[in-house]
Coordinates of all heavy atoms in Angstrom, one line a residue:
M1 N 0.8 -1.2 0.0 CA 0.0 0.0 0.0 C 0.9 1.3 0.0 O 1.9 1.3 0.7 CB -0.9 0.0 1.2 CG -2.3 0.1 1.0 SD -3.3 0.1 2.5 CE -3.8 -1.6 2.5
N2 N 0.5 2.2 -0.8 CA 1.3 3.5 -0.9 C 0.4 4.6 -0.3 O -0.7 4.8 -0.7 CB 1.7 3.8 -2.3 CG 2.9 3.1 -2.7 OD1 3.7 2.7 -1.8 ND2 3.1 2.8 -4.0
Y3 N 1.0 5.4 0.5 CA 0.3 6.6 1.0 C 1.2 7.8 0.8 O 2.4 7.8 0.9 CB 0.1 6.5 2.6 CG -0.8 5.4 3.0 CD1 -0.4 4.2 3.4 CD2 -2.2 5.6 2.9 CE1 -1.2 3.2 3.8 CE2 -3.1 4.6 3.3 CZ -2.6 3.4 3.7 OH -3.5 2.4 4.1
K4 N 0.6 8.9 0.3 CA 1.3 10.1 0.1 C 0.8 11.1 1.1 O -0.3 11.7 0.9 CB 1.1 10.6 -1.4 CG 2.1 11.6 -1.8 CD 2.1 11.8 -3.3 CE 2.8 13.0 -3.8 NZ 4.2 13.0 -3.5
V5 N 1.5 11.4 2.1 CA 1.1 12.3 3.2 C 2.2 13.2 3.5 O 3.4 13.0 3.2 CB 0.6 11.6 4.4 CG1 -0.7 10.8 4.2 CG2 1.7 10.7 5.0
D6 N 1.9 14.3 4.2 CA 2.9 15.3 4.6 C 3.6 14.7 5.9 O 4.8 14.9 6.0 CB 2.3 16.6 4.9 CG 1.7 17.3 3.7 OD1 2.4 17.2 2.6 OD2 0.7 17.9 3.7
V7 N 2.8 14.1 6.8 CA 3.4 13.7 8.1 C 2.9 12.3 8.4 O 1.7 12.0 8.2 CB 3.0 14.7 9.2 CG1 3.5 14.2 10.5 CG2 3.4 16.1 8.9
C8 N 3.8 11.5 8.9 CA 3.4 10.2 9.4 C 3.7 10.2 10.9 O 4.9 10.4 11.3 CB 4.2 9.1 8.7 SG 3.9 7.5 9.3
V9 N 2.7 10.0 11.7 CA 2.9 9.9 13.1 C 2.8 8.4 13.5 O 1.8 7.7 13.2 CB 1.7 10.7 13.9 CG1 1.9 10.5 15.4 CG2 1.7 12.1 13.5
V10 N 3.8 7.9 14.2 CA 3.9 6.5 14.6 C 3.5 6.5 16.1 O 4.2 7.0 16.9 CB 5.3 5.9 14.3 CG1 5.3 4.5 14.8 CG2 5.6 6.0 12.9
G11 N 2.4 5.8 16.4 CA 1.9 5.6 17.7 C 0.7 6.4 18.0 O 0.8 7.7 18.0
A12 N -0.4 5.8 18.3 CA -1.7 6.5 18.5 C -2.0 6.5 20.0 O -3.1 6.2 20.4 CB -2.8 5.9 17.7
G13 N -1.0 6.8 20.8 CA -1.2 7.0 22.2 C -1.8 8.5 22.3 O -2.1 9.1 21.3
P14 N -2.0 9.0 23.5 CA -2.6 10.3 23.7 C -1.7 11.4 22.9 O -2.3 12.3 22.3 CB -2.5 10.6 25.2 CG -2.5 9.2 25.8 CD -1.8 8.3 24.8
G15 N -0.4 11.2 23.0 CA 0.5 12.2 22.3 C 0.3 12.2 20.8 O 0.1 13.2 20.2
G16 N 0.5 11.0 20.2 CA 0.4 10.8 18.8 C -1.0 11.1 18.2 O -1.1 11.8 17.2
A17 N -2.0 10.7 19.0 CA -3.4 10.9 18.5 C -3.7 12.4 18.5 O -4.3 12.9 17.5 CB -4.3 10.1 19.4
L18 N -3.3 13.1 19.5 CA -3.6 14.5 19.6 C -2.8 15.3 18.5 O -3.3 16.1 17.8 CB -3.3 15.1 21.0 CG -3.6 16.6 21.1 CD1 -5.2 16.8 21.0 CD2 -3.2 17.2 22.5
L19 N -1.5 14.9 18.4 CA -0.7 15.6 17.3 C -1.3 15.4 15.9 O -1.5 16.3 15.2 CB 0.7 15.0 17.4 CG 1.6 15.5 16.2 CD1 1.9 17.0 16.3 CD2 3.0 14.7 16.3
A20 N -1.7 14.1 15.6 CA -2.3 13.8 14.3 C -3.6 14.6 14.1 O -3.9 15.2 13.1 CB -2.6 12.3 14.2
Y21 N -4.4 14.7 15.2 CA -5.7 15.4 15.2 C -5.4 16.9 14.9 O -6.1 17.5 14.0 CB -6.4 15.2 16.5 CG -7.6 16.1 16.7 CD1 -8.8 15.8 16.0 CD2 -7.6 17.2 17.5 CE1 -10.0 16.6 16.2 CE2 -8.7 18.0 17.7 CZ -9.9 17.7 17.0 OH -11.0 18.5 17.2
L22 N -4.5 17.5 15.6 CA -4.2 18.9 15.4 C -3.6 19.2 14.0 O -4.0 20.3 13.4 CB -3.2 19.4 16.5 CG -3.8 19.4 17.9 CD1 -2.7 19.8 18.9 CD2 -5.1 20.2 18.1
L23 N -2.8 18.4 13.5 CA -2.2 18.6 12.2 C -3.3 18.5 11.1 O -3.4 19.3 10.2 CB -1.1 17.5 11.9 CG 0.2 17.7 12.6 CD1 1.1 16.5 12.5 CD2 0.9 19.0 12.1
A24 N -4.2 17.5 11.3 CA -5.3 17.3 10.3 C -6.2 18.5 10.4 O -6.7 18.9 9.3 CB -6.1 16.0 10.7
K25 N -6.5 19.1 11.6 CA -7.3 20.2 11.7 C -6.7 21.4 10.9 O -7.4 22.3 10.5 CB -7.5 20.6 13.1 CG -8.8 19.9 13.7 CD -9.1 20.4 15.1 CE -9.6 21.8 15.2 NZ -10.0 22.1 16.6
K26 N -5.4 21.4 10.8 CA -4.7 22.5 10.1 C -4.5 22.1 8.6 O -3.7 22.7 7.9 CB -3.3 22.7 10.7 CG -3.3 23.3 12.1 CD -3.4 24.8 12.1 CE -3.4 25.3 13.5 NZ -3.8 26.7 13.6
N27 N -5.2 21.1 8.2 CA -5.2 20.7 6.8 C -3.9 20.1 6.3 O -3.5 20.2 5.2 CB -5.7 21.8 5.8 CG -7.1 22.1 6.0 OD1 -7.9 21.2 6.2 ND2 -7.4 23.4 6.0
V28 N -3.1 19.6 7.3 CA -1.9 18.8 7.0 C -2.3 17.4 6.8 O -3.1 16.9 7.6 CB -0.9 19.0 8.1 CG1 0.4 18.1 7.8 CG2 -0.5 20.4 8.3
S29 N -1.9 16.8 5.7 CA -2.3 15.4 5.5 C -1.5 14.5 6.4 O -0.2 14.6 6.4 CB -2.2 15.0 4.0 OG -0.9 15.1 3.6
V30 N -2.1 13.6 7.2 CA -1.5 12.9 8.2 C -1.8 11.4 8.1 O -3.0 11.1 7.8 CB -1.9 13.3 9.6 CG1 -1.0 12.6 10.7 CG2 -1.8 14.8 9.8
L31 N -0.8 10.6 8.3 CA -1.1 9.1 8.5 C -0.7 8.8 9.9 O 0.4 9.0 10.3 CB -0.2 8.3 7.5 CG -0.4 6.8 7.5 CD1 -1.8 6.4 7.1 CD2 0.7 6.2 6.6
L32 N -1.7 8.3 10.7 CA -1.4 7.9 12.1 C -1.4 6.3 12.1 O -2.3 5.7 11.8 CB -2.6 8.4 13.0 CG -2.5 8.0 14.4 CD1 -1.3 8.5 15.1 CD2 -3.8 8.6 15.1
L33 N -0.2 5.8 12.5 CA 0.0 4.4 12.6 C 0.0 3.9 14.1 O 0.6 4.5 14.9 CB 1.3 4.0 12.0 CG 1.5 4.3 10.5 CD1 3.0 3.9 10.1 CD2 0.5 3.6 9.6
E34 N -0.7 2.8 14.3 CA -0.7 2.2 15.6 C -0.5 0.7 15.5 O -1.2 0.1 14.7 CB -2.0 2.5 16.4 CG -2.2 1.8 17.7 CD -1.1 1.9 18.7 OE1 -0.6 3.1 18.9 OE2 -0.6 0.9 19.2
Q35 N 0.4 0.2 16.3 CA 0.7 -1.3 16.1 C -0.4 -2.2 16.7 O -0.6 -3.3 16.3 CB 2.0 -1.6 16.8 CG 2.1 -1.4 18.3 CD 3.4 -1.5 18.9 OE1 4.3 -2.1 18.3 NE2 3.6 -1.0 20.1
H36 N -1.2 -1.6 17.7 CA -2.3 -2.4 18.3 C -3.6 -2.1 17.5 O -3.9 -1.0 17.2 CB -2.4 -2.1 19.8 CG -1.2 -2.5 20.5 ND1 -0.4 -1.6 21.2 CD2 -0.7 -3.7 20.7 CE1 0.6 -2.3 21.8 NE2 0.5 -3.5 21.5
A37 N -4.4 -3.1 17.4 CA -5.7 -3.0 16.7 C -6.7 -2.2 17.6 O -7.6 -1.5 17.1 CB -6.2 -4.3 16.3
A38 N -6.6 -2.4 18.9 CA -7.5 -1.7 19.8 C -6.8 -1.0 20.9 O -5.7 -1.4 21.3 CB -8.5 -2.8 20.4
V39 N -7.4 0.0 21.4 CA -6.8 0.8 22.5 C -7.5 0.4 23.7 O -8.7 0.9 23.9 CB -6.8 2.3 22.2 CG1 -6.2 3.1 23.4 CG2 -6.1 2.6 20.9
G40 N -6.9 -0.4 24.6 CA -7.6 -0.8 25.8 C -7.6 0.2 26.9 O -6.6 0.8 27.2
K41 N -8.7 0.4 27.5 CA -8.9 1.4 28.5 C -8.0 1.0 29.7 O -7.5 1.9 30.5 CB -10.3 1.5 29.0 CG -11.2 2.4 28.2 CD -12.5 2.5 28.8 CE -13.5 3.3 28.0 NZ -14.8 3.4 28.5
A42 N -7.8 -0.3 29.9 CA -7.0 -0.7 31.1 C -5.6 -0.2 31.0 O -5.0 0.1 32.0 CB -7.0 -2.3 31.1
F43 N -5.0 -0.1 29.8 CA -3.7 0.4 29.7 C -3.6 1.9 29.9 O -2.6 2.3 30.6 CB -3.1 0.0 28.4 CG -1.7 0.6 28.1 CD1 -0.6 0.2 28.9 CD2 -1.6 1.7 27.2 CE1 0.6 0.8 28.7 CE2 -0.3 2.3 27.1 CZ 0.8 1.8 27.8
R44 N -4.5 2.6 29.4 CA -4.3 4.1 29.4 C -4.9 4.7 30.6 O -5.1 5.9 30.7 CB -4.9 4.7 28.1 CG -4.2 4.3 26.9 CD -3.2 5.3 26.5 NE -2.0 4.8 25.8 CZ -2.0 4.0 24.8 NH1 -3.2 3.6 24.2 NH2 -0.9 3.5 24.2
G45 N -5.1 4.0 31.7 CA -5.3 4.6 33.0 C -6.7 4.8 33.4 O -7.7 4.5 32.6
E46 N -6.9 5.2 34.6 CA -8.2 5.3 35.2 C -8.6 6.8 35.5 O -9.7 7.1 35.7 CB -8.2 4.6 36.5 CG -7.9 3.1 36.4 CD -6.9 2.6 37.4 OE1 -6.5 3.4 38.3 OE2 -6.4 1.4 37.3
H47 N -7.5 7.6 35.5 CA -7.7 9.0 36.0 C -7.2 10.0 35.0 O -6.1 9.9 34.5 CB -7.0 9.1 37.3 CG -6.8 10.5 37.7 ND1 -7.9 11.3 38.0 CD2 -5.7 11.3 37.9 CE1 -7.4 12.5 38.4 NE2 -6.1 12.5 38.3
L48 N -8.1 11.0 34.7 CA -7.7 12.1 33.8 C -7.3 13.2 34.7 O -8.2 13.7 35.4 CB -8.9 12.4 32.9 CG -8.6 13.5 31.8 CD1 -7.5 13.1 30.9 CD2 -9.9 13.8 31.1
N49 N -6.1 13.6 34.7 CA -5.7 14.6 35.6 C -6.1 16.0 35.1 O -6.5 16.2 34.0 CB -4.2 14.5 36.0 CG -3.3 14.8 34.8 OD1 -3.7 15.5 33.9 ND2 -2.1 14.3 34.8
E50 N -5.8 17.0 35.9 CA -6.3 18.4 35.6 C -5.6 18.9 34.3 O -6.3 19.6 33.5 CB -5.9 19.3 36.8 CG -6.8 20.5 37.0 CD -6.3 21.2 38.2 OE1 -6.0 20.6 39.3 OE2 -6.3 22.5 38.1
E51 N -4.3 18.6 34.2 CA -3.7 19.1 33.0 C -4.2 18.4 31.7 O -4.4 19.1 30.7 CB -2.2 18.8 33.1 CG -1.5 19.7 34.1 CD 0.0 19.3 34.3 OE1 0.3 18.1 34.1 OE2 0.7 20.1 34.8
G52 N -4.5 17.1 31.8 CA -5.0 16.4 30.7 C -6.4 17.0 30.3 O -6.7 17.1 29.1
E53 N -7.2 17.2 31.3 CA -8.5 17.8 31.1 C -8.4 19.1 30.4 O -9.2 19.4 29.5 CB -9.3 17.9 32.5 CG -10.7 18.3 32.3 CD -11.4 18.3 33.7 OE1 -11.2 17.4 34.5 OE2 -12.3 19.2 33.9
A54 N -7.5 20.0 30.9 CA -7.3 21.3 30.3 C -6.9 21.2 28.8 O -7.4 22.0 28.0 CB -6.3 22.1 31.1
I55 N -6.1 20.3 28.5 CA -5.6 20.1 27.1 C -6.8 19.7 26.2 O -7.0 20.2 25.1 CB -4.5 19.1 27.0 CG1 -3.2 19.7 27.6 CG2 -4.2 18.7 25.5 CD1 -2.1 18.7 27.8
L56 N -7.6 18.7 26.7 CA -8.8 18.3 26.0 C -9.8 19.4 25.8 O -10.4 19.6 24.7 CB -9.4 17.1 26.6 CG -8.5 15.8 26.6 CD1 -9.2 14.7 27.5 CD2 -8.3 15.3 25.2
K57 N -10.0 20.2 26.8 CA -10.9 21.3 26.7 C -10.4 22.4 25.7 O -11.2 22.9 25.0 CB -11.1 22.0 28.1 CG -12.1 21.1 29.0 CD -12.3 21.8 30.3 CE -13.3 21.0 31.1 NZ -13.3 21.3 32.6
E58 N -9.1 22.6 25.8 CA -8.5 23.6 24.9 C -8.8 23.3 23.4 O -9.0 24.1 22.6 CB -7.0 23.7 25.1 CG -6.3 24.7 24.4 CD -4.7 24.6 24.7 OE1 -4.3 24.1 25.7 OE2 -4.0 25.1 23.8
H59 N -8.8 22.0 23.1 CA -9.0 21.6 21.7 C -10.4 21.1 21.4 O -10.7 20.4 20.4 CB -8.0 20.5 21.4 CG -6.6 21.0 21.5 ND1 -6.0 22.0 20.8 CD2 -5.6 20.7 22.4 CE1 -4.8 22.3 21.1 NE2 -4.5 21.5 22.2
G60 N -11.3 21.3 22.4 CA -12.7 21.0 22.1 C -13.0 19.5 22.1 O -14.0 19.1 21.5
L61 N -12.2 18.7 22.8 CA -12.4 17.3 22.8 C -13.0 16.7 24.1 O -13.4 15.6 24.1 CB -11.0 16.6 22.5 CG -10.4 16.8 21.2 CD1 -9.0 16.4 21.1 CD2 -11.3 16.1 20.1
F62 N -13.0 17.5 25.1 CA -13.4 17.0 26.5 C -14.8 16.5 26.5 O -15.1 15.4 27.0 CB -13.1 18.1 27.5 CG -13.5 17.6 28.9 CD1 -12.6 16.7 29.6 CD2 -14.7 17.9 29.5 CE1 -12.9 16.2 30.8 CE2 -15.0 17.4 30.8 CZ -14.1 16.6 31.4
E63 N -15.7 17.3 25.9 CA -17.1 17.0 25.9 C -17.4 15.7 25.2 O -18.2 14.8 25.6 CB -18.0 18.1 25.4 CG -18.2 19.2 26.4 CD -18.7 20.5 25.8 OE1 -19.1 20.5 24.6 OE2 -18.6 21.5 26.5
K64 N -16.7 15.5 24.1 CA -16.8 14.2 23.3 C -16.4 13.0 24.1 O -17.0 12.0 24.1 CB -16.0 14.3 22.0 CG -16.6 15.3 21.0 CD -15.7 15.4 19.8 CE -16.3 16.6 18.9 NZ -15.4 17.0 17.9
I65 N -15.3 13.2 24.8 CA -14.8 12.1 25.7 C -15.7 11.9 26.8 O -16.0 10.7 27.2 CB -13.3 12.4 26.1 CG1 -12.5 12.2 24.8 CG2 -12.9 11.5 27.2 CD1 -11.0 12.7 25.0
E66 N -16.2 12.9 27.4 CA -17.2 12.8 28.5 C -18.4 12.0 28.1 O -18.9 11.2 28.9 CB -17.6 14.2 29.0 CG -18.1 14.3 30.4 CD -18.4 15.7 30.8 OE1 -18.6 16.6 30.0 OE2 -18.3 15.9 32.0
Q67 N -18.8 12.2 26.9 CA -20.0 11.5 26.4 C -19.8 10.0 26.3 O -20.7 9.2 26.3 CB -20.4 12.0 25.0 CG -21.2 13.4 25.1 CD -21.2 14.1 23.7 OE1 -21.0 13.5 22.7 NE2 -21.6 15.3 23.8
L68 N -18.5 9.6 26.1 CA -18.2 8.2 26.0 C -18.2 7.5 27.4 O -18.0 6.3 27.5 CB -16.8 8.0 25.4 CG -16.7 8.5 23.9 CD1 -15.2 8.4 23.5 CD2 -17.5 7.6 23.1
G69 N -18.3 8.3 28.5 CA -18.4 7.7 29.8 C -17.2 8.1 30.7 O -16.4 7.2 31.0
L70 N -17.1 9.3 31.1 CA -16.1 9.7 31.9 C -16.6 10.0 33.3 O -17.6 10.7 33.5 CB -15.5 11.0 31.4 CG -14.3 11.6 32.1 CD1 -13.0 10.8 31.8 CD2 -14.0 13.0 31.5
L71 N -16.0 9.4 34.3 CA -16.4 9.6 35.7 C -15.7 10.8 36.2 O -14.5 10.8 36.4 CB -16.2 8.4 36.6 CG -16.7 8.4 38.0 CD1 -18.2 8.5 38.0 CD2 -16.2 7.1 38.7
R72 N -16.4 11.9 36.5 CA -15.8 13.2 37.0 C -15.2 13.0 38.4 O -15.8 12.4 39.2 CB -16.8 14.3 37.0 CG -17.4 14.6 35.7 CD -16.4 15.2 34.7 NE -15.7 16.4 35.1 CZ -16.0 17.6 34.7 NH1 -17.0 17.8 33.8 NH2 -15.3 18.6 35.1
M73 N -13.9 13.5 38.5 CA -13.3 13.5 39.8 C -13.7 14.9 40.5 O -13.5 15.9 40.0 CB -11.8 13.4 39.7 CG -11.2 13.3 41.1 SD -9.4 12.8 40.9 CE -9.6 11.1 40.6
E74 N -14.3 14.8 41.7 CA -14.8 16.0 42.3 C -13.9 16.5 43.4 O -14.0 17.7 43.7 CB -16.2 15.7 42.9 CG -17.1 14.9 41.9 CD -18.5 15.4 41.8 OE1 -19.0 15.9 42.8 OE2 -19.0 15.4 40.7
N75 N -13.1 15.7 44.0 CA -12.1 16.2 44.9 C -10.9 15.3 45.0 O -10.9 14.2 44.5 CB -12.8 16.5 46.3 CG -13.5 15.3 46.8 OD1 -12.9 14.2 46.8 ND2 -14.7 15.4 47.2
Ligands
LIG1 C1 -0.3 1.0 33.9 C2 -0.3 2.4 33.6 C3 -1.4 3.2 34.1 C4 -1.5 4.5 33.8 N1 -2.5 5.3 34.4 C5 -2.7 6.5 34.0 C6 -3.8 7.3 34.5 O1 -4.6 6.8 35.3 N2 -3.9 8.6 34.1 C7 -3.0 9.2 33.3 O2 -3.2 10.4 33.0 N3 -1.9 8.5 32.8 C8 -1.7 7.2 33.2 N4 -0.7 6.5 32.7 C9 0.3 7.2 31.8 C10 -0.2 7.4 30.4 O3 -0.6 6.1 29.9 C11 0.9 8.0 29.6 O4 1.2 9.2 30.1 C12 0.4 8.2 28.1 O5 -0.1 7.0 27.6 C13 1.6 8.7 27.3 O6 1.2 8.9 26.0 P1 2.1 8.8 24.8 O7 1.2 9.1 23.6 O8 3.3 9.7 25.0 O9 2.7 7.4 24.7 P2 1.9 6.0 24.7 O10 0.6 6.0 25.4 O11 2.9 5.0 25.2 O12 1.7 5.7 23.2 C14 2.6 5.2 22.3 C15 1.9 4.4 21.2 O13 2.8 4.1 20.2 C16 2.5 2.8 19.8 N5 3.8 2.3 19.1 C17 5.0 2.2 19.6 N6 5.9 1.8 18.7 C18 5.2 1.7 17.6 C19 5.5 1.2 16.2 N7 6.8 1.0 15.9 N8 4.5 1.2 15.3 C20 3.3 1.5 15.6 N9 2.8 1.9 16.8 C21 3.8 2.0 17.8 C22 2.2 2.0 21.0 O14 1.5 0.8 20.8 C23 1.3 3.1 21.8 O15 0.0 3.0 21.5 C24 -0.5 5.2 32.9 C25 0.5 4.4 32.4 C26 0.6 3.0 32.7 C27 1.7 2.2 32.1

C-alpha cells in the first residue's frame, strides 16, 4: 500500500493521536499508525488529571470524551 502524506505519526497514544488530530485540523495530511488494533482502557489509565482535562478542553475534545463515559473527579 502506498500513502502520500505530509506527516506520518507513529503511535496512537494520547500524544500521537492529539498531534495527528491537530495537524489534520490545520489541513496537513497525516497518516497515524498504531501497532495495536484496539486501544484498551485498562492500559491508558483510570484517571484524567487536571492538565489532561485542560488540554482536551482547549481543543474542544473534552465533551466528546465525557459523552463516552467519563467519571468526573470531584475532589
Ligand atoms: C499501567 C499504567 C497506568 C497509567 N495510568 C494513568 C492514569 O490513570 N492517568 C494518566 O493520565 N496516565 C496514566 N498513565 C500514563 C499514560 O498512559 C501515559 O502518560 C500516556 O499513555 C503517554 O502517552 P504517549 O502518547 O506519549 O505514549 P503511549 O501512550 O505509550 O503511546 C505510544 C503508542 O505508540 C505505539 N507504538 C509504539 N511503537 C510503535 C511502532 N513501531 N509502530 C506502531 N505503533 C507503535 C504504542 O502501541 C502506543 O499505542 C498510565 C500508564 C501506565 C503504564
Side-chain angles (χ1 to χ4, degrees):
M1 236 180 259
N2 277 334
Y3 294 98
K4 197 168 167 61
V5 292
D6 295 321
V7 179
C8 177
V9 178
V10 179
L18 183 64
L19 174 63
Y21 172 77
L22 294 177
L23 288 168
K25 271 185 74 175
K26 295 273 181 192
N27 292 320
V28 176
S29 62
V30 189
L31 180 65
L32 175 62
L33 298 177
E34 171 54 48
Q35 63 188 343
H36 294 117
V39 180
K41 278 187 182 176
F43 172 68
R44 293 262 151 53
E46 300 136 6
H47 164 63
L48 182 61
N49 67 25
E50 207 177 318
E51 287 170 340
E53 186 174 324
I55 290 168
L56 292 172
K57 282 181 175 166
E58 186 183 334
H59 300 294
L61 293 169
F62 183 77
E63 282 165 13
K64 291 176 187 168
I65 289 172
E66 201 173 25
Q67 283 164 14
L68 294 173
L70 185 71
L71 185 61
R72 299 295 299 260
M73 186 169 282
E74 312 224 328
N75 53 50

